[in-house]
Amino acid sequence: VALCIRALSSPLRPIPGPWHTHFVNWPLKWYTICGKRIYFIDALHQKYGKIVRIAPGEVSVATPGAYKQIYSVTSKFTKHEWYQWFSGHDVPAMFTMTNIKEHAARRKVFARAFRKSQLRANWEPQIQKIANLAVLRIAEALDESGRTDIFEWFRFMASDSSGMLMFGDNFHSLETGETHHIIKTISVYLIGAGVGAELSWIPFLAKIIPSSRLHDLFNGWNSVLQYANLAVENSRGQRYGTGKTIFGDIIEQAEKSDKLSDDEIRNEAGNFTVAGTDTTATTITYSIYAALLHPDIQKQLEAEVDTLPDGYNDDDVEKLPLLNATIKEAGRLYGAVQGWYPRVVPEGGAMIEGFLLPQGTTVGAQGYTLYRDPDIFPNPNEFVPSRWFPESSMSAEAKIVYNPFGPGSRVCLGKHLAEMETRLAVAAFFRKCKGAALAPETTPESMEFLNFFATFPKGDKCIIQT
Ligand code: HEM
């Protein structure tokens, strides 16, 4: 009875959606836990239109106008508490902060070190070395056995570079061919965090049931923090002779404004590793996968990267039109984060697409649906890098919604880092692995997405062959 009264009196009742969304959020949670959330929400949009109720208090929108309203730099819509449930710990971090002022202050401390110019000045040679090593290992594996899994190599690459930047300790996975234990811990922990964010009683149960597996799933963050002591030591210069970290640059900035505690450095180092490792590997992998699906584009890319001068750098690569357009187009069709970024309607409510959403409603727009809207991207299911050439005028709507690194004031802090890694890795690949092809088992089905906030290939690999 209570459910019916709540359903009938809800101000969200007029919003189109399936009957169950008036009553329960289980279907949404089920698809979320199964890694199919983007598909579930997309199917609802195809059936019910551009604004759809996906659960009793949650609404998804799919128009550029609504997108702008929710996510613009000046928007008052705040990040949803989900980010804190997901992180599962109390130390505030930039990714999880919901308070606009608190976030702006933290962002200011970090912004400088992650600018493109700073990254180029301080880190470019090391990053390029790691990218080249990844491609060398791929080429060696192709020579030796005629086939290899590029997703695994690019995971090693992205984790080696996270290790170097965040902890001052290159994980050397590209050399050993082994996943570093902290990356393994993070992978397990992320599964638990995703489940825990949806079903908060499961981590609670895990606390009272003695099982080391459950412990790793739901308390793995403590091991990450322990390891992250290294980030603090290296950043504060206590281990001379070992690595500098990106936090060294940041602390200098922080001393002038809002000081960073050791806890905060530990936490951010862990968070940046979570945010930047698999996402970067996925982005590089799909960029190459998409090109290999189109041998004509592959050939043109191979010719284009041959025009790079000896000893080329990131700036040279950034000037290659097709390579950069290919990465952008792969970001549209296969981006590493295609789900929505949940936000909360601010005080006073908001009128969205003709419906009044009361304050506190959870709302968002997902890239997966917007990027496949033929009114925004003509022939949306076709892989057409040339749509990104400067001369082909992209519509204003497309410019609003295309944000593979997130929107507005919450745009990815690591965007320039990830872009640099992607450019350098993709360029090196097409220079060194000419004529590579997808292996027969690498199919559109095996490369379908599993979506747990970030997206990954369902088959967890991308095998290529000579
Ligand atoms: C290709 C790789 C990457 C992709 C696709 C990606 C994507 C995103 C997206 C979509 C968001 C916005 C999430 C939201 O608003 O809910 C975000 C935020 C963030 N990302 Fe990334 N990211 C990548 C790499 C990295 C790297 C390498 C780092 C390392 C520092 C990083 C750190 C962060 C942080 C700290 C935030 C939160 C920013 C804030 O709230 O101010 N990301 N990322």
Side-chain angles (χ1 to χ4, degrees):
V1 175
L3 267 185
C4 286
I5 294 174
R6 212 176 61 192
L8 288 170
S9 59
S10 167
L12 299 181
R13 204 159 65 97
I15 296 176
W19 64 268
H20 53 77
T21 58
H22 290 278
F23 303 99
V24 289
N25 57 10
W26 307 331
L28 179 66
K29 288 212 182 277
W30 171 252
Y31 284 103
T32 304
I33 288 168
C34 295
K36 294 182 176 168
R37 184 185 171 98
I38 47 172
Y39 298 120
F40 174 67
I41 295 180
D42 188 58
L44 295 185
H45 277 300
Q46 302 315 326
K47 183 159 180 192
Y48 295 96
K50 304 276 186 194
I51 177 161
V52 61
R53 194 173 181 189
I54 56 173
E58 301 184 41
V59 174
S60 175
V61 292
T63 65
Y67 191 98
K68 204 169 161 184
Q69 208 176 337
I70 298 167
Y71 294 117
S72 71
V73 181
T74 51
S75 158
K76 295 277 178 284
F77 288 64
T78 49
K79 268 195 170 179
H80 192 272
E81 266 188 309
W82 176 88
Y83 290 87
Q84 281 162 6
W85 303 338
F86 178 69
S87 80
H89 42 85
D90 302 329
V91 184
M94 188 186 313
F95 184 64
T96 58
M97 283 171 173
T98 51
N99 180 293
I100 293 180
K101 275 197 179 149
E102 202 185 342
H103 168 261
R106 175 64 58 89
R107 180 96 193 190
K108 201 166 147 207
V109 170
F110 282 80
R112 187 169 172 273
F114 282 91
R115 272 190 213 139
K116 186 160 66 178
S117 54
Q118 288 296 308
L119 289 166
R120 281 185 174 164
N122 295 328
W123 298 100
E124 183 181 335
Q126 294 96 308
I127 290 172
Q128 187 166 20
K129 205 168 145 197
I130 293 176
N132 286 345
L133 181 59
V135 171
L136 178 68
R137 299 308 305 267
I138 289 170
E140 284 169 357
L142 285 175
D143 274 350
E144 274 163 32
S145 63
R147 47 192 281 120
T148 195
D149 174 10
I150 57 169
F151 190 38
E152 180 168 54
W153 288 115
F154 289 126
R155 270 181 158 154
F156 289 159
M157 172 194 148
S159 65
D160 280 1
S161 95
S162 290
M164 172 187 76
L165 283 153
M166 310 310 164
F167 303 105
D169 180 27
N170 180 322
F171 291 155
H172 300 292
S173 294
L174 286 168
E175 285 147 53
T176 59
E178 296 277 332
T179 306
H180 190 270
H181 71 85
I182 206 66
I183 295 292
K184 283 188 196 157
T185 309
I186 287 177
S187 305
V188 174
Y189 159 78
L190 278 180
I191 300 172
V195 173
E198 299 304 324
L199 306 170
S200 53
W201 49 272
I202 293 194
F204 174 74
L205 265 193
K207 276 193 183 132
I208 49 181
I209 300 174
S211 150
S212 64
R213 280 209 172 165
L214 282 179
H215 180 273
D216 290 349
L217 263 176
F218 296 105
N219 297 304
W221 193 249
N222 292 333
S223 316
V224 177
L225 291 184
Q226 249 175 14
Y227 180 78
N229 278 324
L230 192 61
V232 176
E233 288 173 22
N234 279 336
S235 310
R236 298 223 185 268
Q238 287 166 13
R239 283 169 47 120
Y240 295 106
T242 55
K244 66 169 189 169
T245 76
I246 202 158
F247 292 97
D249 310 335
I250 289 161
I251 287 168
E252 213 183 289
Q253 184 74 7
E255 299 303 329
K256 293 183 210 147
S257 51
D258 184 17
K259 287 197 169 51
L260 279 175
S261 70
D262 287 0
D263 262 356
E264 286 165 342
I265 295 177
R266 266 190 284 272
N267 210 28
E268 296 289 16
N271 270 331
F272 291 178
T273 306
V274 169
T277 304
D278 274 358
T279 45
T280 304
T282 303
T283 300
I284 299 170
T285 301
Y286 273 111
S287 299
I288 293 172
Y289 162 77
L292 297 192
L293 270 180
H294 300 86
D296 51 327
I297 295 174
Q298 178 183 5
K299 281 214 176 68
Q300 290 171 47
L301 279 168
E302 289 173 356
E304 189 182 71
V305 293
D306 271 350
T307 65
L308 286 167
D310 287 343
Y312 68 88
N313 62 18
D314 184 48
D315 186 44
D316 298 318
V317 180
E318 201 184 12
K319 292 186 179 123
L320 300 178
L322 182 61
L323 182 119
N324 289 285
T326 299
I327 294 170
K328 276 195 151 177
E329 182 68 342
R332 182 181 72 82
L333 277 180
Y334 308 107
V337 186
Q338 299 187 50
W340 72 344
Y341 320 119
R343 300 293 190 258
V344 178
V345 174
E347 215 179 309
M351 195 62 149
I352 298 190
E353 295 300 312
F355 292 93
L356 181 64
L357 272 53
Q359 77 183 59
T361 308
T362 307
V363 66
Q366 64 171 16
Y368 182 83
T369 300
L370 289 160
Y371 297 167
R372 286 163 180 76
D373 182 338
D375 294 335
I376 305 178
F377 296 96
N379 303 318
N381 295 319
E382 280 171 35
F383 183 75
V384 188
S386 60
R387 70 171 94 230
W388 296 101
F389 288 167
E391 60 273 22
S392 37
S393 48
M394 187 62 77
S395 70
E397 285 77 16
K399 283 183 191 152
I400 291 171
V401 303
Y402 181 75
N403 289 307
F405 288 96
S409 61
R410 306 308 293 253
V411 63
C412 177
L413 177 77
K415 176 176 187 277
H416 296 298
L417 170 62
E419 284 182 341
M420 185 191 285
E421 289 188 53
T422 304
R423 275 193 298 269
L424 290 170
V426 175
F429 179 88
F430 286 107
R431 276 167 74 90
K432 203 155 181 70
C433 303
K434 293 198 165 47
L438 297 174
E441 67 264 49
T442 305
T443 60
E445 289 71 42
S446 78
M447 294 299 284
E448 235 177 56
F449 310 118
L450 263 188
N451 158 232
F452 297 106
F453 191 71
T455 38
F456 310 90
K458 190 171 81 181
D460 203 36
K461 47 172 92 69
C462 179
I463 313 260
I464 62 163
Q465 64 185 26
T466 45

XYZ file of all heavy atoms in Angstrom, residues 79 83 94-95 103 107 114 166 272 275-276 279-280 283 336-337 341 343 404-407 409-414 417-418 453, ligand 1:
294
model
N 27.198 16.637 -7.963
C 27.425 15.197 -8.112
C 26.577 14.452 -7.102
O 26.384 14.912 -5.971
C 28.900 14.857 -7.867
C 29.732 14.849 -9.128
C 31.083 14.176 -8.926
C 31.782 13.971 -10.265
N 33.101 13.345 -10.162
N 28.822 8.734 -5.787
C 30.281 8.742 -5.915
C 30.933 8.376 -4.581
O 31.967 7.724 -4.538
C 30.781 10.103 -6.394
C 30.419 10.391 -7.835
C 29.205 10.977 -8.170
C 31.285 10.070 -8.872
C 28.864 11.225 -9.490
C 30.955 10.317 -10.200
C 29.749 10.890 -10.493
O 29.415 11.126 -11.809
N 38.804 14.379 -4.854
C 38.280 15.251 -5.893
C 37.157 14.585 -6.691
O 36.140 15.191 -6.994
C 39.419 15.603 -6.851
C 39.011 16.657 -7.831
S 40.272 16.938 -9.027
C 41.671 17.070 -7.984
N 37.328 13.321 -6.996
C 36.358 12.605 -7.818
C 34.993 12.485 -7.125
O 33.951 12.511 -7.764
C 36.912 11.199 -8.119
C 36.060 10.382 -9.048
C 35.851 10.782 -10.352
C 35.475 9.199 -8.620
C 35.070 10.032 -11.217
C 34.695 8.441 -9.473
C 34.490 8.859 -10.778
N 35.015 21.290 -3.829
C 35.610 20.693 -5.019
C 36.467 21.710 -5.776
O 37.577 21.411 -6.206
C 34.523 20.132 -5.948
C 35.048 19.771 -7.295
N 34.915 20.609 -8.384
C 35.763 18.704 -7.731
C 35.509 20.051 -9.422
N 36.026 18.895 -9.053
N 40.348 21.232 -6.742
C 40.675 21.196 -8.166
C 41.786 22.213 -8.477
O 42.676 21.962 -9.283
C 39.405 21.487 -8.956
C 39.540 21.498 -10.434
C 39.163 20.162 -11.020
N 39.577 20.101 -12.402
C 39.243 19.161 -13.247
N 38.496 18.171 -12.869
N 39.675 19.184 -14.476
N 48.416 19.013 -14.002
C 47.811 18.171 -15.035
C 47.552 18.911 -16.343
O 46.911 18.370 -17.235
C 46.510 17.544 -14.505
C 46.764 16.365 -13.590
C 46.883 16.533 -12.222
C 46.908 15.086 -14.117
C 47.127 15.451 -11.380
C 47.157 13.992 -13.291
C 47.262 14.182 -11.912
N 51.943 8.436 -9.954
C 51.226 8.584 -8.687
C 52.058 8.139 -7.490
O 51.943 8.688 -6.410
C 49.908 7.787 -8.685
C 49.021 8.015 -9.891
S 48.754 9.748 -10.239
C 48.136 9.655 -11.909
N 43.399 8.327 -8.371
C 43.876 8.652 -9.724
C 44.277 7.364 -10.447
O 44.132 7.241 -11.661
C 45.080 9.599 -9.679
C 44.745 10.988 -9.200
C 45.739 11.950 -9.070
C 43.450 11.342 -8.861
C 45.443 13.232 -8.634
C 43.140 12.620 -8.406
C 44.143 13.574 -8.294
N 41.063 5.826 -11.484
C 40.397 6.591 -12.547
C 41.143 6.502 -13.869
O 40.540 6.600 -14.930
C 40.267 8.060 -12.122
N 42.458 6.319 -13.799
C 43.244 6.528 -15.017
C 43.861 5.300 -15.651
O 44.443 5.405 -16.731
N 40.778 2.894 -17.806
C 40.135 3.801 -18.769
C 41.091 4.106 -19.928
O 40.688 4.097 -21.093
C 39.746 5.128 -18.094
O 40.845 5.560 -17.292
C 38.510 5.003 -17.243
N 42.348 4.355 -19.591
C 43.318 4.694 -20.636
C 43.595 3.467 -21.509
O 43.622 3.559 -22.745
C 44.628 5.216 -19.994
O 44.294 6.316 -19.150
C 45.623 5.666 -21.038
N 40.715 2.934 -23.863
C 40.685 3.945 -24.929
C 41.694 3.618 -26.030
O 41.382 3.677 -27.222
C 40.966 5.339 -24.323
O 39.954 5.599 -23.354
C 40.975 6.427 -25.364
N 35.578 4.989 -23.078
C 35.748 4.181 -21.863
C 34.716 4.519 -20.789
O 34.528 3.757 -19.852
C 37.157 4.360 -21.313
N 34.064 5.688 -20.899
C 33.006 6.027 -19.938
C 31.802 6.520 -20.746
O 31.745 7.672 -21.150
C 33.454 7.129 -18.942
C 32.383 7.353 -17.874
C 34.770 6.762 -18.278
N 26.677 10.382 -15.801
C 27.351 10.867 -14.611
C 26.233 11.391 -13.713
O 25.671 12.447 -14.010
C 28.312 12.003 -14.957
C 29.077 11.801 -16.259
C 28.933 12.706 -17.311
C 29.942 10.725 -16.434
C 29.623 12.539 -18.497
C 30.629 10.550 -17.618
C 30.468 11.459 -18.640
O 31.149 11.298 -19.819
N 23.787 13.201 -11.327
C 23.745 14.517 -10.685
C 22.424 14.673 -9.936
O 21.472 13.920 -10.184
C 23.857 15.630 -11.740
C 25.131 15.598 -12.570
C 26.377 15.898 -11.742
N 27.567 16.107 -12.544
C 28.536 15.204 -12.726
N 28.452 14.000 -12.172
N 29.603 15.497 -13.454
N 33.918 12.656 -23.944
C 34.365 11.360 -23.428
C 35.128 11.491 -22.110
O 35.308 10.504 -21.401
C 35.260 10.815 -24.541
C 35.606 11.973 -25.392
C 34.519 12.981 -25.247
N 35.562 12.709 -21.800
C 36.254 12.918 -20.521
C 35.371 13.642 -19.508
O 35.865 14.195 -18.533
C 37.550 13.692 -20.742
C 38.610 12.862 -21.412
C 38.788 12.925 -22.776
C 39.397 12.002 -20.679
C 39.745 12.139 -23.403
C 40.366 11.215 -21.288
C 40.538 11.277 -22.658
N 34.087 13.636 -19.752
C 33.184 14.233 -18.768
C 32.987 15.714 -19.022
O 33.713 16.345 -19.796
N 31.965 16.273 -18.379
C 31.531 17.624 -18.705
C 31.865 18.675 -17.637
O 32.136 18.366 -16.481
C 30.013 17.428 -18.736
C 29.760 16.362 -17.698
C 30.999 15.534 -17.567
N 32.574 21.547 -14.975
C 33.612 21.731 -13.956
C 34.143 20.383 -13.464
O 35.164 20.332 -12.805
C 33.045 22.518 -12.779
O 31.974 21.782 -12.216
N 33.433 19.276 -13.794
C 33.900 17.970 -13.324
C 34.600 17.200 -14.437
O 34.749 15.968 -14.374
C 32.749 17.140 -12.749
C 31.949 17.817 -11.667
C 32.754 18.377 -10.514
N 33.395 17.402 -9.690
C 33.029 17.056 -8.454
N 31.978 17.618 -7.914
N 33.719 16.176 -7.760
N 35.036 17.915 -15.469
C 35.760 17.241 -16.552
C 36.990 16.539 -15.955
O 37.564 16.986 -14.959
C 36.170 18.263 -17.642
C 37.120 19.313 -17.099
C 36.786 17.564 -18.845
N 37.340 15.433 -16.587
C 38.434 14.606 -16.086
C 39.710 15.406 -15.825
O 40.195 16.116 -16.709
C 38.726 13.538 -17.136
S 40.097 12.479 -16.762
N 40.263 15.235 -14.648
C 41.526 15.910 -14.324
C 42.666 15.343 -15.183
O 43.588 16.059 -15.562
C 41.850 15.693 -12.837
C 43.158 16.281 -12.364
C 43.020 17.792 -12.176
C 43.615 15.643 -11.066
N 42.572 14.053 -15.496
C 43.669 13.395 -16.207
C 43.521 13.407 -17.721
O 44.232 12.693 -18.418
N 46.674 13.972 -19.731
C 47.577 12.840 -19.534
C 47.108 11.648 -20.371
O 47.883 11.031 -21.109
C 47.581 12.482 -18.034
C 48.265 11.188 -17.648
C 49.740 11.239 -18.024
C 48.112 10.938 -16.140
N 45.814 11.335 -20.260
C 45.281 10.180 -20.990
C 45.373 10.417 -22.494
O 45.676 9.494 -23.263
C 43.834 9.935 -20.573
N 30.263 1.709 -14.540
C 30.687 3.104 -14.640
C 31.592 3.262 -15.857
O 31.221 3.902 -16.819
C 31.352 3.634 -13.369
C 31.518 5.145 -13.434
C 30.412 5.972 -13.332
C 32.760 5.725 -13.650
C 30.539 7.356 -13.447
C 32.893 7.114 -13.752
C 31.780 7.922 -13.646
C 41.050 7.698 -21.368
C 41.126 7.735 -20.050
C 40.131 8.426 -19.181
C 38.796 8.612 -19.367
C 37.935 8.157 -20.548
C 38.304 9.345 -18.222
C 36.997 9.751 -18.056
C 36.551 10.554 -17.026
C 35.221 11.050 -16.907
C 34.103 10.780 -17.898
C 35.146 11.796 -15.786
C 33.924 12.557 -15.268
C 33.122 11.678 -14.344
C 31.901 12.372 -13.778
O 31.663 13.571 -13.910
O 31.162 11.628 -13.178
C 36.447 11.762 -15.164
C 36.778 12.398 -13.996
C 38.010 12.286 -13.387
N 39.116 11.637 -13.882
Fe 39.257 10.689 -15.656
N 39.341 9.582 -17.367
C 40.478 9.045 -17.922
C 41.756 9.087 -17.398
C 42.091 9.659 -16.191
C 43.423 9.722 -15.666
C 44.700 9.233 -16.353
C 43.327 10.288 -14.432
C 44.495 10.551 -13.521
C 44.678 11.576 -12.847
C 41.929 10.640 -14.208
C 41.426 11.266 -13.086
C 40.140 11.758 -12.972
C 39.677 12.546 -11.834
C 40.474 12.924 -10.611
C 38.336 12.878 -12.098
C 37.404 13.709 -11.229
C 37.512 15.163 -11.647
C 36.625 16.083 -10.857
O 35.579 15.668 -10.376
O 36.994 17.252 -10.761
N 41.216 10.232 -15.300
N 37.295 11.001 -15.950
